[in-house]
Structure formats: C-alpha cells, structure tokens
Amino acid sequence: MEKQKLVLIGNGMAGVRAVEEILKLSPDQFDITVFGSEPYPNYDRIQLSKVLQGDTEISDITLNSWEWYEENNILLYPGETVTAVDTEKQTVTTDKDRQVPYDKLIMATGSVPFMLPLPGADKEGVTAFRDIKDCEQMIESAEQYKKAVVIGGGLLGLEAARGLLNLGMEVDVVHIADFLMERQLDRTAGKMLQKELEKQGMNFLLEKQSQEIIGEDRVEGLRFKDGEEVEADLVVMAVGIRPNAALASQSGIPVNRGIIVNDHLETEILNVYAVGECAEHREMVYGLVAPLYQQGQEMAKKICGIESEGYQGSVLSTQLKVSGVDVFSTGKINEDEDTKTVKVFDDWRGIYQKVLVDEGKITGAVLFGDTKEGNQLLSLINKGAAIEEYLDQDKSDAAGIDFIASMGSEEIVCGCNGVTKGTIVNAIGEQGLTTVDQVKGCTSASRSCGGCKPLVADLLEHTLGDEYDHNQKESICACTSLSRDEVVEEIKSKGLTHIREVMNVLEWKTEEGCSKCKPALNYYLGMINPSEYKDEKESRFVNERLHANIQNDGTYSVVPRMYGGVTNSEDLRKIADVADKYEVKMIKVTGGQRLDLLGVQKEDLPRIWSELDMPSGSAYAKGLRTVKTCVGADFCRFGTQDSIGLGVQMEKKFEGLNTPHKVKMSVSACPRNCAEGSVKDVGVVGLDGEFEIYVGGNGGTHMRQAELLSKVKTEEEVIDATAAFLQYYREDANYLERTSAWVERVGLDHIQSVLSNKKTFIELIQRMNEALAVVQQQDPWKEAIESETLLRDLYKNVKVAAGSN
Amino acid sequence: MEQVLKRVFAAKLSDLPEKLGRTVEAGGLELAIFKLADDNIRVIENRCPHKGGVLAEGMVSGEHVFCPMHDWKISVVDGKVQDPDTGCVQTYDVEVQNGDVYIYIPE
Ligand code: SRM
Ligand SMILES: Cc1cc2nc3c(=O)[nH]c(=O)nc-3n(C[C@H](O)[C@H](O)[C@H](O)COP(=O)(O)OP(=O)(O)OC[C@H]3O[C@@H](n4cnc5c(N)ncnc54)[C@H](O)[C@@H]3O)c2cc1C
Ligand code: SF4
Ligand code: FES
C-alpha cells in the first residue's frame, strides 16, 4: 500500500514532538514532510533563557539533529515558510513556490511575540525574545552596548533581564502592573520576588506605561506616558505572545484566538489538525510545553487511528528559570470570596507558600523560596484531591514516595521534556540506573529547568526499593551496581590487582568500563596497593595522562613547581627563555602562586620540560596542587611563624601524591590568614607558639569554609596531622570527592575521633609514607622525557607527507 | 556521488599504543587512530562534533571513545555520538598489511 502523505507546518517543539509520537505508534504509515521558517533543526526554545544566561550554548540546545530527520526519512525544508493551504485540493504552497500535496496536515505554527505598537518600535536595537535570532541579537548588543530595558515583568521578561545582567548590561525592567508576574503570582510573592531580583542587580520601573521609543536609527531611550524617560541601547519586548494563526485563517480554517480544535486536535476542516501554541482548545490557548506535548500525544493517536478519550485540557504550572530564586505557581492564583487558603509565611527565611482551596478541593498554589512541593500540588489538583490529602500527609521523605506511587505511568514527571513516569521507570529497570544524574542522562528528565529533580529522586527510591541508597552512596557508574565501598572491599578481600580483573570478577555490565569507572578503579587499586600496582595511563584523563592541561583548542599548558610560591631569578630566566623559544601564547600568574605557560603544542611539551629542568607543578593532578604561603615571620610585622618554610616543606613532602580529587593547602603566619586557609583542603594558621589546622575548605564550585581539625605546637606535628588526615581521606573518600564534600558527608567529629586513636594515627602516617615513597621515585615530567615508549605513545602525532601512499 | 579514495601509510601496527589514540594528519585531514583492546584499528575524524575536542586524547573503552573535553561518548566504529547527545564524526576505512597500517582517505 502506498504511504499516506503527512505534512507538518512549523518545525517547532509541539509539531516535531507530535511527529515523534506518530512515529512511535506507526513508524511506516506516513511519508512525512516538514516545513520550518527557522533555518535550524528543532531546538529547545525553553533553553534560550539559559543560553542568554550563559549556562548553555546554542549549539547545545538542538532537540532533533539533522541526522534524526534523515534516519526517520523525514523530508525537512528548513528556512521555508508555508504561505497558503488549499484545503480543497489538499496542498500547501511555500514562499519558494514549492507545492506539496497532503493526506493529513498538521499546523504547528506556534506563536508570534506581541510587539507593542509604539512609535519607534521599528528602530534598530528593539527586539522580541522568541527565537535563536533574537537571542543572538541580544548577545551581540551586550558586547557593544551597556544599557538594556526590558518591557514586561512576566516570566519571559525576567528571564531575559537576568540573561542581560549576566552579559554585563545594566537592566531596567518596565512593568505595567504594580508587582511582578501578576499572571502567575499574587502580590505577596510578586513583591518577594522583586526584592530578591533587586538584590541580584535588576532595577524595576513598575506601573509604567511605555509611550515611545526614542533615538535616531538605533534606539536611545524609552519615554513613558507620565513623561519620564530612561536611556536604552537595547529594548526587549516581552509583553506577551499571540497564537500564530494567520495562515490558517487566510486558508479558511476557523480561528478564534487560535486555530479552533476539538479534543482530538482536529480543526473544523477535514484532515487538517493543529497543535501547540497556535491551537485553541476549549477556549484555552497554552504557552508552555507540557500541555502541548499532551496535545501531541492525543493527536498522534487520532492520526494513527487509535481510539482514545482525547485531550481534556491541562492545569498549568510555571517555574521561573532564574538561578537563586525559586518560584512556582499552578492552577488558581488569587482567592475570591469563597476560597479558603492555607498559608505559610516565613519572612526570615524568605519562604511563602499559599495553597488555595475551593469547596474542600485544592485548586491552586503559589510557592516562593521553597518549591519542593510544587509538582506534588500540581498532581493533587489534577486528581481533584481534597485539601486533607495535602495537609494530613507527613512532610517527611515518605510522603513524596506515596505520591509518586499514586501517579499513573502515562503521567508526565518532567514537563519541559515531556518525560513520563513510565519512561523513567523503564529506563531505571532496563539500564540499571541508580542516580538522578543517570536518569537525566538517559531520559532527559530534569535536563531543562530542573524543577522535577525531587520527583525523579522519589521515583528512583520508589522503583529501587531497598536497593535505593538514601545518601545516594551511588554505584560507581552505570557499568556496575556496586557502590564505591563495596568495590574497595572486594578488591581488598579478593586481592584484585588490575582494572580488567576487577571488571571481570565483579561482573561489570560493560566489556571495558567507561570514563567514570576506569579512572576511579585506577585510583582505588593504587591507593590499596601502592607499591605493587602499576598505574594504567589509558585509564587516566588526558591531563593526567599527559601531565599537562589540555586547552580548548587542543594545545596544552605547563605549570612548573614553585614551592610555596617562592621563586628565584634563575628559574624565572629559564621560564622566560622557554617561553620565547617555543612562542608560548601567554605567561600567566595563576591563582595558586606560580606561573603558567599557556598554549603549548603537545609535541613541544617534552622539550620544554627538559629545558626548564623543574619539577612538574601537577596543575592537572588529582593530587597535591599548591601550598600557598604568606610572607610570614621573616618579613611581616604580624608574622608569628615561618609560614614560607613550613609551606615549602609541606609541598615537598606531599608532592606527587594521588588523592581522590585535587588537594590545595596553605600556610599563613597569623590569623589574618593571607594565604586563605579557610578555603583550602588543608589550611594552616600559625599563632604565637602554636598552629591551627583547618580542613575541608573549598573556594570553588561549592564554597565551603574549612573547619578546625586540631591545634598543635610544632611544625612536625602539623605535617603528621596533615599526613594522617590526607591518608584517611585517600582511604575513605569517593573518587572525585573533594575534602570539602567528604568532610561534610562524614562529619568532622568522625574524622577527629578516628585520628584521635594513637595507633590508627601512626598507621595512617605509615601508609601515607609508603604511598609517597612510590610516587616520589621520579618526577612525571622527567619520567616522560627519559622514556622512549612514553614519548612515542603519548607525545607524538603522525604527519603523512602529501603524495605518500 | 562517487568518491575517489587513496590509501596512505599511517603507522606500523607495533608502534601504536594499545587502548589509546594518536593524531594523524594526512591529506589535509586531522584523524584519530585507535588501537583497541582486541587489536582492531579504527580511524575517525579527530574533532568532537560538540566543541572540537581532540578525540585522539580521549579515554577508550571497548568500541567507544570519551571526548576529553566534555565526556561525550562516540563510537569509533560508526562515528555515532551516543545518547543522550547526538551527532556523528566521519569514519575512515583501514587496512593492515604485513604489520603496516593504511588509511583510506579522499583523493
Ligand atoms: C590556572 C588556574 C587559573 C588561573 O589562571 O589562575 C586554574 C585553571 C583551571 N582550573 Fe581551577 N585554576 C586555578 C586555580 C583555582 C582555584 C584557586 C586556588 O587554587 O587558589 C580554585 C578554587 C579553589 C578550590 O579549588 O577550592 C579553582 C577551582 C577549580 C575547580 C572547582 C573545584 C571544586 O572542587 O569545585 C575546577 C574543576 C575541577 O577541578 O573539577 C577547576 C579546574 C580548572 C582547570 C584545570 C579546568 C580544566 O579541567 O581544564 C583549568 C585549567 C585551565 C587551562 O586551560 O589550563 N578549578 N581553580 C589556577 C591554577 C592554580 C595553580 O597554580 O595550580
Ligand atoms: C525564552 C523562552 C523561555 C521559555 N521557557 C519555558 C519554560 O520554562 N517552560 C515551558 O513550558 N515553556 C517555555 N517557553 C514556551 C515554549 O518554548 C513554547 O510553549 C513552545 O516552544 C511552543 O511550541 P510550538 O511548537 O507551539 O511553537 P514553536 O516552538 O514556536 O514552533 C513553531 C515553529 O513554526 C514555525 N512556523 C510558523 N509559521 C510557519 C509557516 N507558515 N511555515 C513554516 N514554519 C512556520 C516557526 O518559525 C517556529 O519555528 C519558553 C519560550 C521562550 C521563548
Ligand atoms: S575559572 Fe578556572 S575552569 Fe573556569 S574558565 Fe577560569 S580557569 Fe577555566
Ligand atoms: S568537545 Fe567533545 S564533548 Fe565537548
């Protein structure tokens, strides 16, 4: 039988998702043709906010790659707009004069941003926030200009404003109402939100009506009805969207606000369907993806001839994608005379929660500051649940589980990506997933706004039952279900000695592991048996394998040791000479008190190291990086101890060590702590006659202040305590867990009590010394220079001369 | 479209490190050549479709390489990027003859 011709107008989120549903139900029934005005494959419009905020890039938000269209035999015409539909002859015509017949037609033309018809709205520098092009224009403007005005204090406007702030612009948000997001929030929440965003640097002009955009060719400012003016080099209009239904209405397809559809997403014209923001169902037009994906599912069933109840409408929920503020709302927002509310207002912690109740049933909610219960409330509303069901549940973890258990498998957990409970449960079962991150990787649930993360965690717990690990003492990776502790225990008890053996004996699910377990096993094996184990260079990340940091363009950097941040003219001269000779792109003083030679070709690395003739600074290592010092007693008027001397000693003592993650230390000579001991893995502070040793600090992604481990009298005791602490960390922490996360997890008390046992303390130091003895036999750079095999295997590229064969 | 391929000598089999990649420049192309644990040789384009990571420096596991930049997982057999990421890299045919490795690249 010949295939039917299915044509989709609009290559956007709703339309393409509907096509995916159709392919799932009936992969061979249709020849599919897609027209899209935008010159890209289908991308995640939601993520434009994150692109603008700098959290991701345009190249990363593609939902369906070009290959996807090819693999599914879909004929895609990107950058081509349908200009007419002939519903009698059943054909569509495009702006490139192409005419294509259809048996079934889906209109998924989305929305058009509403542009206020102000005088001057056509000036350069006035934009909407709807597509990639708008996003690119804003990013470009931010490079050249300083001042942005966003018109519209709703979801889109605030996300745009946050993005422009991140791009370094000053931002005014103009809003017509007297509080923000008035369509999704009540006044209390709106005002709290405003305060929070003001703290983030946004400036608000409320109850302002724009009158005119001023400037020559390019916008220079905005004038309001009250005569006031503000400067602007960029004006973003985010005042609303309108269903894009013009094509339909010109083609005689009935349109009200949007294209009118029934529960099966059929328009009033035979064989013509509409889905997405362009469609109007039971007088509702939706502007969020979750309902649009549900529509797509129902439409697909109809098109493939599968009986179903049809689309019943959706209760909406919104979440603001601005980091640092948690806002959620769903259903009814404002109470009327008959509404009762349940409210929590905690001004101190900045939490506001309001649940609306009509005739005993939950009808809406507004959450600010703590939005954990958002998804649950949405689902309760969908079920028509009584308020008691919400109030009576204990707010412990168990409640979330009950809730997730009650969800149907077709119910959507991740609204942004339309991932159902069923999909996640299947993935957990089939692929042996145990962590939220793994679920995210395999199913995309929680990949966009992240709001459903708690639900995903509950779902994991519900599905895995006893196997679920509350502390997420996760399996090492998807290749095994064993946790770190179990693997380490097995290695010890079975006397396993290399990676392949571990994988075989412990029944890894993959032949050769992955980029997570290989380096982890390599570390554990070396930690357990330092003198016997032979490090596997092919299980090291590039930086550690090559002993240099790879750069974004594939060149490398060279950071020699400069113990305690102290250098001399001879070393500096060598560095300068090498930099000249090999034309390094930049010499930079690092945050760790030493020099970095950046932009070195891989093949030059061994020569540079040999000419420098300095030890490697291990700037790439999961090991000791730097020991930062302050000038100390020799020079500083406050110095009480020889911080430089002790710092250098410590760096020499622990250099080359392998640790679960990198280790940074510092020594300061008085409580002013100029070497920043509060954010180091080990931070020593010298006082008159004693030293304080702080541990578990981190100044990186997750800032954490170091805690006082102990006070000691002598430099030897500092080194001993550091050795015992670090050895316990080596033996107990997960691979890739910084001391900060480890100390936080196991508790300082616990560590102190382990180290307070004299015998344990001494044994830890002994095992540390064994480990050091092995790694300090040779500096890694020297080792590479002196080994023909390493030079050939790791540092050589092949160049095939032209014309050779 | 017919493409004319030529055969170029890339390396001696015994010179290639096992379970590691090596960068090969040939005929204006930058390729990554891998000797897998089963001694098979595979050649793919050396740049990751994500942000141009040098694939020859990635970690090799079975028939996949993990990009050293952001850990995308790519098949060295058919060049496909693995879920949840998408894309693909060009693959090239290889021939091993008397311990010499040859690659077929476009003329
Ligand atoms: C060179 C340097 C920046 C500079 O120019 O100053 C640097 C450069 C890099 N840092 Fe850093 N960090 C540098 C000091 C820091 C500091 C400050 C410090 O050490 O005093 C921090 C915060 C303090 C801390 O670690 O607690 C820091 C926190 C990070 C983190 C986040 C670590 C965390 O636990 O959250 C990473 C990511 C990681 O390691 O996984 C990182 C990772 C990186 C990497 C290796 C990223 C990578 O994998 O490619 C960067 C290499 C760039 C390149 O192209 O070569 N860098 N990095 C600094 C080298 C210091 C040195 O001499 O060795
Ligand atoms: C910055 C931003 C942030 C957002 N954040 C969220 C969020 O957090 N959560 C959420 O749920 N939603 C969010 N949304 C809304 C969400 O992106 C939309 O609801 C969704 O994209 C609508 O899908 P659609 O397919 O109906 O329309 P679109 O994705 O707009 O697709 C329609 C496509 O059809 C094309 N087209 C139109 N007419 C024609 C024609 N005649 N011929 C050919 N092609 C045509 C258009 O060019 C467009 O590419 C956000 C939107 C934006 C802009
Ligand atoms: S902060 Fe560190 S990791 Fe981030 S860009 Fe700078 S050097 Fe690279
Ligand atoms: S460049 Fe390869 S994963 Fe990013």
Side-chain angles (χ1 to χ4, degrees):
Chain A
M1 201 180 78
E2 206 183 307
K3 290 188 183 179
Q4 289 192 45
K5 295 185 185 61
L6 176 74
V7 171
L8 168 66
I9 309 179
N11 186 30
M13 296 183 75
V16 175
R17 171 53 72 98
V19 166
E20 283 181 333
E21 297 288 345
I22 291 171
L23 288 170
K24 250 194 260 167
L25 295 175
S26 187
D28 300 317
Q29 194 178 342
F30 299 100
D31 270 330
I32 305 175
T33 306
V34 178
F35 293 98
S37 303
E38 294 185 77
Y40 316 99
N42 178 34
Y43 62 89
D44 191 346
R45 200 172 295 287
I46 297 177
Q47 299 267 26
L48 289 178
S49 293
K50 296 201 172 176
V51 170
L52 199 65
Q53 292 179 31
D55 295 336
T56 180
E57 289 181 39
I58 285 173
S59 55
D60 289 340
I61 64 171
T62 304
L63 286 173
N64 301 76
S65 61
W66 299 115
E67 291 86 42
W68 178 85
Y69 292 88
E70 251 171 56
E71 282 160 16
N72 289 292
N73 282 321
I74 296 171
L75 190 54
L76 170 67
Y77 292 105
E80 190 159 337
T81 301
V82 174
T83 49
V85 179
D86 186 331
T87 57
E88 298 269 307
K89 292 208 199 95
Q90 303 212 139
T91 58
V92 302
T93 308
T94 73
D95 60 352
K96 298 205 171 127
D97 282 335
R98 199 184 310 273
Q99 213 177 42
V100 174
Y102 67 81
D103 296 308
K104 303 247 185 251
L105 177 69
I106 304 174
M107 309 205 61
T109 46
S111 298
V112 278
F114 181 62
M115 300 300 275
L116 293 172
L118 305 177
D122 54 351
K123 289 194 196 311
E124 213 184 299
V126 180
T127 177
F129 185 21
R130 177 72 192 173
D131 53 24
I132 289 184
K133 177 176 61 39
D134 299 335
C135 205
E136 281 173 342
Q137 186 185 344
M138 285 190 253
I139 293 171
E140 267 167 38
S141 294
E143 279 165 14
Q144 294 179 39
Y145 301 98
K146 271 198 64 178
K147 176 68 194 297
V149 172
V150 175
I151 309 183
L155 217 56
L156 201 60
L158 295 177
E159 289 180 6
R162 179 65 248 183
L164 294 167
L165 276 181
N166 287 9
L167 290 168
M169 296 191 86
E170 270 170 52
V171 185
D172 288 345
V173 176
V174 176
H175 194 46
I176 197 158
D178 67 337
F179 65 92
L180 300 175
M181 285 177 65
E182 80 282 3
R183 300 234 303 282
Q184 294 90 11
L185 299 181
D186 64 4
R187 183 180 312 272
T188 313
K191 286 288 173 195
M192 289 174 88
L193 174 63
Q194 180 181 344
K195 251 198 230 152
E196 191 54 48
L197 292 174
E198 276 167 353
K199 262 197 241 155
Q200 293 193 4
M202 255 179 237
N203 183 38
F204 292 98
L205 304 165
L206 299 182
E207 295 178 87
K208 286 274 187 204
Q209 244 180 313
S210 310
Q211 186 175 41
E212 187 184 348
I213 292 175
I214 41 193
E216 301 277 311
D217 291 342
R218 190 177 175 94
V219 47
E220 286 164 21
L222 185 64
R223 183 176 304 132
F224 301 109
K225 285 245 162 76
D226 60 13
E228 236 182 274
E229 282 177 18
V230 288
E231 265 179 54
D233 310 311
L234 174 72
V235 171
V236 180
M237 288 210 201
V239 290
I241 51 173
R242 262 208 285 216
N244 183 6
L247 173 66
S249 109
Q250 286 156 22
S251 312
I253 302 164
V255 166
N256 183 25
R257 264 201 303 153
I259 307 170
I260 301 169
V261 294
N262 63 15
D263 289 358
H264 299 289
L265 289 301
E266 293 165 304
T267 67
E268 290 175 22
I269 304 291
L270 186 68
N271 291 329
V272 180
Y273 297 73
V275 68
E277 288 186 342
C278 64
E280 178 177 326
H281 171 260
R282 300 189 187 170
E283 291 172 16
M284 280 292 290
V285 174
Y286 295 94
L288 292 169
V289 291
L292 307 184
Y293 284 173
Q294 288 165 18
Q295 291 179 350
Q297 252 175 7
E298 294 307 324
M299 181 177 75
K301 286 184 197 151
K302 184 72 193 174
I303 289 181
C304 299
I306 294 167
E307 288 273 325
S308 79
E309 189 191 2
Y311 177 65
Q312 303 297 323
S314 308
V315 179
L316 289 181
S317 72
T318 44
Q319 196 144 14
L320 181 67
K321 300 188 297 297
V322 169
S323 61
V325 274
D326 290 322
V327 191
F328 177 95
S329 80
T330 180
K332 190 163 154 181
I333 308 301
N334 289 305
E335 46 270 56
D336 46 41
E337 279 167 18
D338 301 322
T339 316
K340 299 237 172 348
T341 58
V342 178
K343 279 190 199 171
V344 175
F345 183 61
D346 178 344
D347 201 11
W348 171 242
R349 288 189 301 153
I351 292 173
Y352 171 68
Q353 299 176 313
K354 178 175 82 172
V355 178
L356 290 87
V357 187
D358 285 284
E359 294 173 5
K361 292 197 170 135
I362 307 174
T363 48
V366 177
L367 308 179
F368 185 92
D370 178 356
T371 55
K372 277 202 298 296
E373 288 171 1
N375 286 298
Q376 187 172 353
L377 280 160
L378 171 62
S379 177
L380 288 173
I381 296 173
N382 277 325
K383 277 203 307 195
I387 181 71
E388 283 77 17
E389 201 171 323
Y390 171 70
L391 292 178
D392 291 353
Q393 75 195 4
D394 59 306
K395 304 264 154 136
S396 66
D397 293 347
I401 303 293
D402 285 349
F403 160 70
I404 199 94
S406 72
M407 276 175 86
S409 77
E410 279 304 292
E411 269 191 68
I412 291 195
V413 171
C414 170
C416 298
N417 296 298
V419 189
T420 61
K421 174 178 164 187
T423 309
I424 298 176
V425 171
N426 283 345
I428 294 174
E430 280 163 18
Q431 305 183 44
L433 312 182
T434 55
T435 67
V436 175
D437 271 352
Q438 289 169 357
V439 173
K440 173 164 111 188
C442 292
T443 67
S444 285
S446 82
R447 211 178 188 186
S448 296
C449 80
C452 61
K453 268 203 185 128
L455 269 188
V456 175
D458 288 346
L459 193 48
L460 268 166
E461 180 168 4
H462 172 62
T463 313
L464 296 176
D466 287 346
E467 281 169 44
Y468 179 75
D469 196 329
H470 284 267
N471 305 323
Q472 288 277 337
K473 194 177 67 210
E474 12 187 299
S475 74
I476 292 187
C477 66
C479 305
T480 174
S481 55
L482 297 175
S483 70
R484 178 264 180 213
D485 288 353
E486 288 164 332
V487 170
V488 167
E489 208 31 63
E490 296 276 352
I491 293 177
K492 285 184 185 160
S493 68
K494 299 203 162 84
L496 307 177
T497 53
H498 55 272
I499 297 181
R500 269 312 264 272
E501 190 187 12
V502 176
M503 292 181 179
N504 283 335
V505 174
L506 303 185
E507 296 179 351
W508 241 239
K509 291 174 206 156
T510 50
E511 188 82 351
E512 291 176 35
C514 69
S515 57
K516 297 216 164 46
C517 56
K518 283 174 60 158
L521 292 179
N522 190 49
Y523 170 76
Y524 296 138
L525 285 161
M527 177 270 287
I528 293 166
N529 202 347
S531 47
E532 304 293 312
Y533 182 66
K534 190 170 167 307
D535 196 87
E536 264 192 23
K537 55 188 182 311
E538 59 274 14
S539 298
R540 291 272 192 180
F541 291 115
V542 55
N543 289 359
E544 295 167 75
R545 184 181 335 121
L546 295 186
H547 301 288
N549 291 21
I550 196 165
Q551 319 278 293
N552 53 12
D553 64 351
T555 61
Y556 292 82
S557 69
V558 171
V559 185
R561 278 242 177 258
M562 223 171 242
Y563 297 95
V566 181
T567 183
N568 55 50
S569 54
E570 196 188 328
D571 281 351
L572 289 174
R573 214 166 279 124
K574 283 195 286 193
I575 290 174
D577 287 344
V578 157
D580 283 346
K581 180 162 168 196
Y582 293 94
E583 296 176 347
V584 309
K585 289 194 198 127
M586 176 180 275
I587 310 177
K588 180 174 182 307
V589 180
T590 74
Q593 294 190 338
R594 48 206 188 152
L595 294 175
D596 192 348
L597 304 174
L598 294 149
V600 173
Q601 297 299 331
K602 178 164 105 167
E603 285 163 306
D604 289 337
L605 288 171
R607 283 192 287 270
I608 292 191
W609 296 337
S610 106
E611 283 169 42
L612 279 176
D613 194 25
M614 291 167 74
S616 162
S618 300
Y620 45 78
K622 309 275 175 275
L624 177 68
R625 295 286 175 90
T626 59
V627 181
K628 203 163 169 168
T629 66
C630 74
V631 289
D634 284 353
F635 297 92
C636 175
R637 64 195 165 118
F638 297 116
T640 58
Q641 300 281 359
D642 176 15
S643 46
I644 297 179
L646 178 55
V648 172
Q649 256 190 78
M650 289 174 73
E651 194 162 344
K652 292 203 157 142
K653 164 92 187 176
F654 296 109
E655 70 180 312
L657 185 67
N658 287 310
T659 42
H661 205 314
K662 60 192 179 190
V663 169
K664 300 174 178 185
M665 309 207 266
S666 79
V667 185
S668 303
C670 87
R672 289 169 190 76
N673 213 347
C674 295
E676 299 167 328
S678 331
V679 286
K680 295 286 178 272
D681 297 276
V682 178
V684 179
V685 177
L687 306 172
D688 211 357
E690 66 177 357
F691 296 90
E692 293 172 340
I693 305 170
Y694 291 86
V695 294
N698 186 321
T701 327
H702 300 287
M703 181 81 179
R704 184 178 192 274
Q705 189 175 339
E707 292 177 84
L708 182 63
L709 175 75
S710 60
K711 291 190 189 191
V712 296
K713 295 273 181 247
T714 65
E715 295 188 347
E716 288 68 46
E717 286 172 295
V718 171
I719 291 180
D720 281 351
T722 305
F725 169 78
L726 285 181
Q727 182 62 18
Y728 187 44
Y729 164 59
R730 295 183 69 229
E731 294 176 7
D732 192 64
N734 297 327
Y735 181 66
L736 289 189
E737 187 174 35
R738 284 285 295 264
T739 63
S740 52
W742 174 66
V743 171
E744 185 81 29
R745 179 165 64 84
V746 302
L748 184 71
D749 297 351
H750 166 76
I751 297 169
Q752 283 168 329
S753 91
V754 170
L755 300 193
S756 68
N757 180 316
K758 237 334 354 99
K759 182 159 170 282
T760 313
F761 189 80
I762 290 169
E763 284 169 357
L764 283 168
I765 295 174
Q766 277 168 353
R767 290 202 292 277
M768 168 62 82
N769 289 338
E770 279 165 39
L772 285 172
V774 177
V775 291
Q776 287 176 350
Q777 278 165 15
Q778 201 169 32
D779 175 79
W781 288 353
K782 279 242 160 56
E783 187 184 351
I785 303 165
E786 288 170 7
S787 156
E788 278 304 321
T789 334
L790 286 179
L791 285 178
R792 186 196 63 199
D793 284 0
L794 300 181
Y795 299 96
K796 258 213 166 65
N797 292 343
V798 177
K799 284 203 177 70
V800 178
S804 82
N805 55 35
Chain B
M1 195 176 55
E2 282 281 309
Q3 215 173 26
V4 187
L5 297 177
K6 70 172 174 190
R7 193 176 92 140
V8 298
F9 169 75
K12 286 204 146 330
L13 187 59
S14 54
D15 276 356
L16 291 176
E18 200 171 294
K19 288 190 266 177
L20 285 173
R22 170 170 297 173
T23 302
V24 178
E25 285 170 41
L29 298 170
E30 194 183 310
L31 311 172
I33 180 164
F34 298 96
K35 179 152 137 196
L36 308 183
D38 60 9
D39 262 3
N40 263 320
I41 305 292
R42 295 291 179 175
V43 176
I44 61 176
E45 179 186 346
N46 197 25
R47 294 289 170 162
C48 178
H50 179 219
K51 292 190 180 165
V54 186
L55 297 175
E57 306 299 352
M59 213 181 290
V60 185
S61 274
E63 296 188 330
H64 296 97
V65 59
F66 292 85
C67 176
M69 299 281 271
H70 317 96
D71 210 31
W72 277 22
K73 184 179 178 185
I74 298 170
S75 163
V76 297
V77 177
D78 61 14
K80 274 226 177 73
V81 174
Q82 307 293 301
D83 280 345
D85 305 302
T86 53
C88 67
V89 293
Q90 190 68 47
T91 58
Y92 296 86
D93 285 339
V94 181
E95 193 174 80
V96 182
Q97 216 174 40
N98 306 328
D100 290 337
V101 180
Y102 297 90
I103 313 178
Y104 285 90
I105 56 171
E107 190 75 63

